[in-house]
Amino acid sequence: MTGAVWLVGAGPGDPGLLTRRGADLLSRADAVVFDRLVSPEILELARPDAELIDVGKSSGSHPVPQEEINGILVRLAQEGKAVVRLKGGDPYLFGRGGEEFSHLTSCGVPVGVVPGITSAFGAAACGGIPVTHRDFASSVTVITCHAKRGSSWKPDWKALAAVGGTLVFLMGTSALEEIAEGLIGAGLDESTPAAVVERGGMKGERTVRGTLGSIAGLARSAGVASPALAVVGGVASLNLDFSDMLPLKDLTVVVTRGASDAPRFAGTLARWGARVLVRPSIDPRADFSSPALSDFRPGQHEWLVFTSAHGVEFFFQWLAQKGWDVRAFAGAKIAAVGPATARELEARGLIVDLVPDVFDSAHLAEALAARKTSSAAAFRAWEATDVLSREMARSGCRLDEYPLYRNEMDGGEVGSLSADWVTFASPSAVRGFVRRWKAPGARALCIGPTTAEEAQKLGFQTVTARQASFESMTAALLELARSEKATQKERAN
Ligand code: SAH
């Protein structure tokens, strides 16, 4: 039985702009045949064992000829494979999708099409230009600046100048002078707004604005390179830029927490414009095998100390297993390392007596010492650091530690991620992540100094939140993204 080929539009570049149908097919395909303009982030959606064939790569400077691509698609399908033919933008807009469709069907290969967001509209929109606007344009013409091999590129400038509305030129980075000359020669005013959008919707996106008379020179001095498109017409004077409102736009941020707190953190990051990848790197699970736990007797400690929300969760599981409930601890005071842990306790009807001003173990120990604590029981992860016990010992307080759960995730196959930031809320998350993923060039955003230390040890450049909370991690990232954007802008000017 033959396989089948799906012609899939990848959109302008950002994986978020690929259709769900396209992503779904891509994640199942046996083979993916892709063009030059398909971004690596999108290819990461393919199965790790899928055959990836780059037909945009040049041997010399020419991409693989169309006949050869047709041959590759037919061969893969005849081998019984589910093939995704992935094209930038929309497969039928200057994408040769129609030619491939006809060839495949004539060879008896089943074909399907998944439209994509064309860069002609989508990349322009990302660059701040709506291709129509009731005040400026009620039609859009999309023009290629490439001719079929063997013929020369000769647009009908008179017709284009006469049609009015918006003109969008694709593949025209090196033809801007010609476009301007052609349109001015055909009667358009030199002062007609014109803009060039480079890498619309992708990292490094830039929009250069000017007029028909100035745009070629402006683009040249700005060093605009492919992929870029030119927009001519009143809409090119608009600048519907949203990047300042979304400082994390263009950043890919990995959240390494599990199902319990990933959605809220991921939601906050996405609200500020980030593209979020959730890759759980801890696997919290109960382990009540510590001999310390079997020796535990309620009523022996003045304070019960919780250093994580998971700690609270597993404490109650353990109580239930013991056949106890909170009445066994009547009279004990309760300390939580930070607000998330406190919330978990309060959700179970407990009033938290102490949360330190700075949410980490060292400050928790300090706050307990200030209360002249004589004895405390800490319910924690097996992998917890010794900061709390060390600091408590220094203040002469007895701290008994009761490990209740393990965080560490076992190794698996190592995959690669394109990301700008990986967020870590514990050293165990750093270890779990590194065991499974490579994220070349990504920096680590850490919840506190101990986590940062682990991340540095494992090769990350780090930034540490002021407070140990997801809110504070988000704030640190926003602050940094804003200042880095400002520096970039300064450099560009
Ligand atoms: N089928 C594609 C177009 C292929 S032609 C589509 O529907 O978008 C390739 C041209 O598209 C490039 O030379 C450039 O002019 C334009 N293009 C593609 N991606 C772009 C992007 N992210 N930003 C600006 N222009 C882009």
Side-chain angles (χ1 to χ4, degrees):
M1 204 185 69
T2 65
V5 177
W6 283 90
L7 304 174
V8 175
D14 183 321
L17 299 178
L18 168 68
T19 62
R20 295 174 74 142
R21 186 98 197 258
D24 187 50
L25 287 163
L26 186 55
S27 70
R28 297 174 207 283
D30 300 309
V32 179
V33 181
F34 64 98
D35 279 343
R36 190 171 53 87
L37 287 179
V38 173
S39 65
E41 288 91 340
I42 289 185
L43 291 171
E44 280 166 14
L45 302 174
R47 256 172 37 205
D49 61 331
E51 188 178 344
L52 297 184
I53 301 174
D54 180 355
V55 292
K57 257 264 169 61
S58 29
S59 48
S61 66
H62 296 293
V64 178
Q66 189 59 48
E67 305 74 56
E68 211 172 298
I69 298 176
N70 291 348
I72 293 172
L73 294 173
V74 171
R75 173 179 61 77
L76 290 168
Q78 283 170 349
E79 288 169 5
K81 292 183 173 141
V83 184
V84 162
R85 169 72 177 112
L86 197 57
K87 291 165 171 295
D90 181 86
Y92 283 175
L93 192 98
F94 303 137
R96 303 189 191 173
E99 294 165 48
E100 290 176 12
F101 187 101
S102 304
H103 182 80
L104 289 162
T105 46
S106 74
C107 295
V109 173
V111 196
V113 181
V114 182
I117 296 179
T118 178
S119 62
F121 300 166
C126 293
I129 300 175
V131 290
T132 74
H133 188 294
R134 286 200 300 173
D135 295 341
F136 300 103
S138 53
S139 74
V140 194
T141 309
V142 182
I143 305 122
T144 172
C145 300
H146 268 199
K148 203 169 168 182
R149 213 179 299 158
S151 45
S152 61
W153 181 59
K154 274 208 230 84
D156 183 344
W157 295 117
K158 280 229 143 50
L160 290 175
V163 76
T166 305
L167 305 177
V168 179
F169 293 88
L170 299 189
M171 297 181 271
T173 321
S174 54
L176 290 171
E177 260 103 7
E178 239 179 306
I179 292 170
E181 261 169 43
L183 290 173
I184 293 168
L188 278 194
D189 205 284
E190 268 190 35
S191 64
T192 309
V196 172
V197 179
E198 182 187 23
R199 301 178 63 80
M202 304 164 82
K203 194 159 283 181
E205 169 188 294
R206 261 198 313 179
T207 303
V208 178
R209 289 182 172 76
T211 62
L212 212 41
S214 67
I215 195 69
L218 291 172
R220 196 176 340 105
S221 51
V224 168
S226 175
L229 54 79
V231 183
V232 178
V235 293
S237 64
L238 295 171
N239 182 6
L240 310 185
D241 182 7
F242 50 92
S243 54
D244 286 345
M245 294 180 273
L246 300 174
L248 303 187
K249 176 179 165 285
D250 297 337
L251 294 179
T252 301
V253 183
V254 182
V255 168
T256 57
R257 296 295 285 190
S260 58
D261 32 25
R264 216 162 61 99
F265 188 32
T268 312
L269 294 169
R271 179 254 170 266
W272 291 107
R275 171 179 170 240
V276 182
L277 302 176
V278 177
R279 295 290 180 276
S281 301
I282 53 167
D283 176 22
R285 57 200 185 279
D287 180 346
F288 303 144
S289 66
S290 160
L293 281 179
S294 18
D295 294 343
F296 181 86
R297 297 286 168 270
Q300 292 173 329
H301 301 94
E302 192 188 344
W303 282 86
L304 306 181
V305 178
F306 296 92
T307 55
S308 71
H310 285 305
V312 177
E313 183 189 326
F314 289 113
F315 174 73
F316 278 88
Q317 271 187 30
W318 172 67
L319 282 195
Q321 208 188 59
K322 286 287 228 185
W324 293 338
D325 66 22
V326 284
R327 286 171 299 177
F329 299 91
K333 284 187 264 225
I334 298 176
V337 71
T341 307
R343 269 197 298 272
E344 200 66 32
L345 288 157
E346 282 153 11
R348 290 171 158 90
L350 295 173
I351 293 169
V352 177
D353 303 288
L354 170 69
V355 177
D357 294 335
V358 177
F359 313 140
D360 63 24
S361 293
H363 289 84
L364 179 60
E366 202 176 282
L368 283 164
R371 306 268 175 124
K372 312 241 172 315
T373 302
S374 61
S375 66
F379 298 95
R380 329 191 53 186
W382 280 77
E383 303 94 348
T385 60
D386 62 355
V387 177
L388 186 66
S389 56
R390 219 175 42 214
E391 294 299 314
M392 297 283 278
R394 279 211 323 196
S395 63
C397 160
R398 190 184 96 225
L399 178 81
D400 296 324
E401 292 193 90
Y402 300 97
L404 291 172
Y405 68 102
R406 292 185 186 275
N407 258 330
E408 207 94 343
M409 192 171 230
D410 294 334
E413 226 170 281
V414 177
S416 187
L417 292 177
S418 306
D420 301 287
W421 290 95
V422 187
T423 59
F424 295 118
S426 65
S428 55
V430 184
R431 293 190 291 269
F433 181 82
V434 165
R435 244 179 247 141
R436 291 181 166 228
W437 301 104
K438 279 201 172 61
R443 285 180 278 177
L445 174 64
C446 300
I447 197 161
T450 324
T451 303
E453 207 173 289
E454 188 74 7
Q456 280 159 17
K457 229 183 342 184
L458 293 173
F460 284 98
Q461 217 186 310
T462 60
V463 168
T464 307
R466 287 215 183 89
Q467 286 262 30
S469 69
F470 290 122
E471 290 78 9
S472 180
M473 288 170 81
T474 309
L477 192 54
L478 283 172
E479 193 179 313
L480 201 73
R482 282 198 182 105
S483 80
E484 287 182 358
K485 249 189 201 146
T487 322
Q488 267 170 17
K489 260 197 193 151
E490 246 165 58
R491 255 191 232 135
N493 288 335

